[in-house]
Amino acid sequence: NNSLYLFLNTFMFILSFIFCSRLFHSHSTADPQFTEKYFPQIMDHFNFLSLINATFSQRYLITDQYWRKGSGPIFFYTGNEGDIWEFALNSGFITELAAKQGALVIFAEHRYYGKSLPFGKDSFSLPQISLLTVEQALADYAVMITELKQQLAASACPVIVFGGSYGGMLSVYMRLKYPNIVAGALAASAPILSTAGLGDSRQFFHDVTADFENCAPQCRDAVRNAFHQLKELAERQDYSVIQSKFALCKPPSSAQDIHQLNGLLRNAFTVIAMLDYPYSTHFMGSMPANPVKVACQTMLSGPDLLTNLRNTAGILYNSTGMLSCFDLYSLYVECADPTGCGLGFDSMAWDYQINLCYESNNLTDMFPPMSFTEADRDSYCAKRWSVMPRPDWLRIQFWGDALSAASNIIFSNGDLDPWANGGVRRSISPSLVAINITGGAHHLDLRGSNEADPESVLVARKTEADLIAKWNPLEPQH
């Protein structure tokens, strides 16, 4: 039956992901053997009464394989929304740089993600989830860094924080909030402006569209026309045809089902654009090399646009080729982040934590009109989590675009990344440096070296390495 097929496909995908990840972990010369450890972390850093300094086990990965003890820096990855192993296995630049600069490397897992669950299986219930905030996560990292430095007799060693995407935002925030602990930050693909409500809500899906348009203008047109055909079928309630064309496990039966299908399809293009690396990857799913090009070839492979649209979505959802049908509500979960929350417990945490008012409109982008206004967000958050967002808080707490008083932060962005224009694209001062990577997708510069890397990312990594070396007063200057 369909449920069994879905289970088997999911199981095989997990097996293939584990195999590929461990294969990479075992055989990449750039990746050291991390030791997995747990740190007794305070549950609530800002309330001395509610939990009486209760702790939970926060996972981190550590290697001193390259460390020049006593003088080498500490490279600390500020973990983001997922299992910390996935970030460690896809951030080879950090360990490559550690080998050159004699650094200790630590990857810390974000509270409420992976295995770092303060309340175990009850972590995603109310009120337990209320301790999932950026401020608590930053305090976790500050406490962990401080105590591990003491344990490792590394008090003189400067700490450089690294992060990609939301992790890059956290790296920026660590430098802003704890400059006494953190000497500098590399923030790759960090959308600190758009997530703070600055900029145009239409920008993100416009930029997703631009990736496909730049590959081939007729690709953009084919996607837009395919969505139009789907809309016409839905208006006629030709649900059996829609089920057949998209190989759905169950026929849609309502406008909500069509909305869910549109979200699932839009999400596929979003992830493909983000992960448009020049080589195959196993990060946030399995992707072929140059997946935007592959997607456009698929969209233009014949006259049946709906079949082409289904097969393009299959690049993300059916990478194993073993899925017999698409289950609308298990492959994609609509949430408070229109760019996608993922699946499982991590998606619940992200849904609570991040809410973005991004929209597609079919005018500035190729997708169906799907809005998510501040009113929509307020209604969703109240209904789902019994909370009300504070739309101005990130700007107040973490400076927004008023960053001129900060120092020692690198903002890197690739021009293929739809998140790029939500971040800092121009240098603000000699120590607040923006690096723009031509032909770079989502935090490509954090990934390990690959023979398919464009020259632009090699130049970016060299610039980053030189700046980071200057932040270590114990590093010999050449």
Side-chain angles (χ1 to χ4, degrees), residues 118-141:
F119 300 95
K121 60 182 176 59
D122 295 325
S123 296
F124 307 98
S125 302
L126 293 170
Q128 289 90 333
I129 201 169
S130 65
L131 294 181
L132 172 55
T133 66
V134 171
E135 291 83 358
Q136 296 280 4
L138 296 176
D140 287 344
Y141 297 150

Side-chain angles (χ1 to χ4, degrees), residues 302-475:
D304 189 342
L305 292 182
L306 293 180
T307 297
N308 296 346
L309 184 58
R310 177 196 70 206
N311 292 336
T312 301
I315 295 171
L316 173 65
Y317 298 116
N318 194 18
S319 60
T320 64
M322 297 182 63
L323 195 65
S324 64
C325 63
F326 291 89
D327 187 303
L328 279 180
Y329 291 94
S330 65
L331 290 174
Y332 169 73
V333 176
E334 187 177 35
C335 64
D337 179 357
T339 73
C341 283
L343 302 171
F345 283 149
D346 289 346
S347 72
M348 296 174 66
W350 191 242
D351 183 40
Y352 175 81
Q353 190 177 7
I354 297 292
N355 41 84
L356 305 171
C357 292
Y358 294 173
E359 65 174 75
S360 59
N361 55 39
N362 203 236
L363 297 173
T364 59
D365 56 66
M366 62 188 181
F367 303 110
M370 298 176 71
S371 64
F372 192 63
T373 65
E374 289 193 12
D376 294 332
R377 178 175 63 182
D378 290 349
S379 175
Y380 177 88
C381 292
K383 182 178 180 180
R384 176 67 181 87
W385 295 107
S386 300
V387 296
M388 188 63 65
R390 300 174 186 169
D392 298 325
W393 182 242
L394 276 181
R395 274 174 284 181
I396 295 170
Q397 179 76 328
F398 300 113
W399 303 21
D401 58 357
L403 296 167
S404 60
S407 64
N408 291 3
I409 303 174
I410 302 167
F411 303 94
S412 64
N413 286 285
D415 66 354
L416 299 182
D417 184 10
W419 290 102
N421 286 319
V424 176
R425 303 298 302 274
R426 295 182 180 180
S427 295
I428 300 170
S429 73
S431 67
L432 295 172
V433 179
I435 298 176
N436 294 297
I437 305 169
T438 302
H442 203 46
H443 48 69
L444 173 63
D445 51 324
L446 286 189
R447 299 187 62 81
S449 298
N450 189 289
E451 60 184 11
D453 280 334
E455 179 66 22
S456 58
V457 79
L458 304 183
V459 173
R461 290 175 183 145
K462 175 65 166 59
T463 302
E464 291 164 356
D466 291 345
L467 288 169
I468 289 168
K470 292 178 181 178
W471 297 339
N472 180 6
L474 305 178
E475 179 78 11

